[in-house]
Amino acid sequence: ARACARARARSRARAPGGTEMGKCSSKEKPAQTVKHKAPTKPPKDRKNLNPADFVISKRTGEVIVKSEGSIDGEQFNIEECKDCDIFLLDNLACAFVDECENCRIYIGPTESSVMLRNCRSCDFVIACQQYRTRDCTDCRCALLCMTEPIIETSSNMQFACFDFGYFSLRQQIDRAGLRPWNNKWWMVYDFNKNHDRPNWSLLPQEQVRGLLRPEAAADGLSPEELEMDRVVPVTLGSRPRPSQESCFVVFLPDSEAYIEAFVTKTDRSPDWTLARARTTLLAEDRIKSLLLWAKEPKLIAQCKGREVTGVEVCGPGVWEKVQEALISTGLAAGSKVIRLIPKEETPTMAKAFFEAWKDEI
């Protein structure tokens, strides 16, 4: 993959003359999103890397945990494993999973692509920039993916939103340049689309927590980690909405803490459901369209050339409930950077922001 090649190039730039751990290659469907630049990493000595440390091969019935720092942004391969529980709890450059069967596999935040090939009856939880399968059957996947997931010559694939956590996940996601608010887990692109018998479907979200067996990795994951607040918000994607009533909240630049607080509030409010979220740069004319109702000219300059985040929540009476929360809870402290789109404009502006307005490249 081109993105994987770029990740390797960055590694070589950090350590000129270093050796490559492997070759990443596959055809790519052009990405339709802006990649968030990963933080610059300090140089490291690649000369003493042992390729065997970055491969799990021909294992059966084992629990294998790669802890933080053990992969450290390198390529990783998993091949010909059966009935294994595998946890890659670290950053990766790219990953390949080949010819695995009846395995449960977690792949930590990956700077470029994850490729699954010839896998059967496996469950995956993956955070990556790009995701692709070829010749896979009966696999279930929960994704954090910045581009449209791609399947090719694969069948009976199921997809849901990423829902997993541990202490270092937030930092790993940031190092990989992934954006939790830009998860396209449901926008699956099938190269071999079959209208009569679709090759993929949506996995019920309540089944995601059962894809992995974290208790098997007791040495690498504590019960406290698994009960932490979500780092990656669970969105409805294309699932049916429990209510047609919705509200659209816009967060201006430098409001990350308030976005997280709002998403946590949504998680804990039984009648609220997070429908979709997006962080993006907008052209000046679109910023004006989005915030014209506010009659605050300074907002245009405040947002120009900087990212804004939109969050849509649905539920009965949700607009009024969110309005009240923005006034009467700790979210009120964010009044300078939070704007609730007027109720009558919510359908039009949400459709424009989430569907019509493409990313500025």
Side-chain angles (χ1 to χ4, degrees):
R2 292 191 296 272
C4 195
R6 289 194 294 270
R8 294 201 316 276
R10 279 191 290 272
S11 295
R12 290 196 297 273
R14 291 192 294 269
T19 57
E20 294 184 41
M21 291 306 305
K23 183 179 181 181
C24 301
S25 62
S26 67
K27 296 179 180 178
E28 296 291 344
K29 181 177 179 287
Q32 297 298 317
T33 191
V34 176
K35 184 178 178 182
H36 177 58
K37 187 176 180 181
T40 303
K41 301 175 185 178
K44 63 179 179 180
D45 182 8
R46 300 172 59 85
K47 294 181 180 179
N48 297 322
L49 295 179
N50 181 1
D53 292 336
F54 304 93
V55 178
I56 298 173
S57 180
K58 298 180 180 179
R59 311 285 278 272
T60 300
E62 296 185 42
V63 177
I64 305 161
V65 180
K66 302 291 286 187
S67 59
E68 185 173 21
S70 62
I71 303 173
D72 197 23
E74 298 293 335
Q75 177 185 324
F76 203 93
N77 290 10
I78 303 172
E79 58 190 31
E80 299 182 54
C81 293
K82 293 184 179 180
D83 302 308
C84 288
D85 293 275
I86 300 173
F87 296 84
L88 307 184
L89 302 172
D90 200 7
N91 282 113
L92 297 82
C94 56
F96 290 88
V97 183
D98 294 298
E99 299 184 51
C100 289
E101 185 175 348
N102 294 322
C103 290
R104 292 151 298 280
I105 300 175
Y106 171 75
I107 299 177
T110 302
E111 188 176 350
S112 57
S113 60
V114 172
M115 180 76 169
L116 315 180
R117 299 178 292 200
N118 299 99
C119 292
R120 302 285 182 271
S121 303
C122 290
D123 293 337
F124 297 93
V125 178
I126 299 171
C128 62
Q129 184 72 216
Q130 301 170 355
Y131 165 98
R132 186 163 182 168
T133 73
R134 191 178 70 211
D135 300 323
C136 292
T137 304
D138 300 326
C139 292
R140 302 186 295 177
C141 304
L143 301 179
L144 168 61
C145 189
M146 302 298 96
T147 56
E148 296 176 3
I150 295 172
I151 64 173
E152 184 177 0
T153 56
S154 298
S155 62
N156 199 26
M157 305 291 290
Q158 290 185 289
F159 293 90
C161 187
F162 184 103
D163 190 8
F164 189 58
Y166 49 95
F167 290 140
S168 55
L169 178 60
R170 184 187 303 274
Q171 292 74 26
Q172 291 176 2
I173 285 175
D174 187 57
R175 287 197 295 266
L178 307 183
R179 309 306 299 274
W181 320 116
N182 288 352
N183 191 358
K184 298 183 178 181
W185 66 266
W186 78 95
M187 299 182 184
V188 179
Y189 183 88
D190 184 0
F191 271 116
N192 307 98
K193 186 179 295 185
N194 185 335
H195 292 286
D196 296 327
R197 189 178 180 183
N199 293 312
W200 70 277
S201 62
L202 297 178
L203 174 72
Q205 190 62 40
E206 59 269 20
Q207 294 185 22
V208 170
R209 289 294 181 107
L211 296 183
L212 304 176
R213 298 193 302 194
E215 67 277 5
D219 293 339
L221 292 167
S222 67
E224 292 79 12
E225 291 179 272
L226 302 175
E227 297 302 320
M228 294 169 57
D229 286 340
R230 291 185 175 107
V231 175
V232 177
V234 173
T235 56
L236 277 178
S238 58
R239 300 185 195 276
R241 296 191 176 191
S243 170
Q244 292 308 304
E245 295 184 60
S246 70
C247 71
F248 177 22
V249 183
V250 175
F251 295 85
L252 307 182
D254 300 323
S255 55
E256 191 75 13
Y258 292 110
I259 303 171
E260 293 188 12
F262 181 73
V263 170
T264 298
K265 171 67 175 173
T266 300
D267 272 348
R268 296 176 179 176
S269 301
D271 294 333
W272 301 12
T273 301
L274 182 58
R276 48 189 175 178
R278 180 192 186 197
T279 294
T280 188
L281 291 170
L282 291 177
E284 186 173 348
D285 61 324
R286 290 175 178 174
I287 297 173
K288 290 179 179 178
S289 297
L290 185 65
L291 300 173
L292 180 63
W293 59 273
K295 295 180 171 53
E296 299 177 78
K298 291 183 179 180
L299 294 185
I300 308 303
Q302 185 177 345
C303 298
K304 186 176 180 180
R306 306 181 70 193
E307 291 182 333
V308 298
T309 299
V311 178
E312 187 178 14
V313 176
C314 61
V318 72
W319 194 93
E320 291 78 11
K321 293 174 183 177
V322 168
Q323 183 185 46
E324 175 64 24
L326 294 178
I327 295 171
S328 61
T329 69
L331 290 166
S335 60
K336 292 184 178 180
V337 293
I338 302 174
R339 295 294 182 273
L340 176 62
I341 299 295
K343 189 174 184 178
E344 63 275 11
E345 295 190 33
T346 291
T348 300
M349 296 314 303
K351 185 176 180 64
F353 184 85
F354 291 105
E355 300 175 28
W357 294 345
K358 302 303 180 183
D359 289 310
E360 295 294 313
I361 304 299

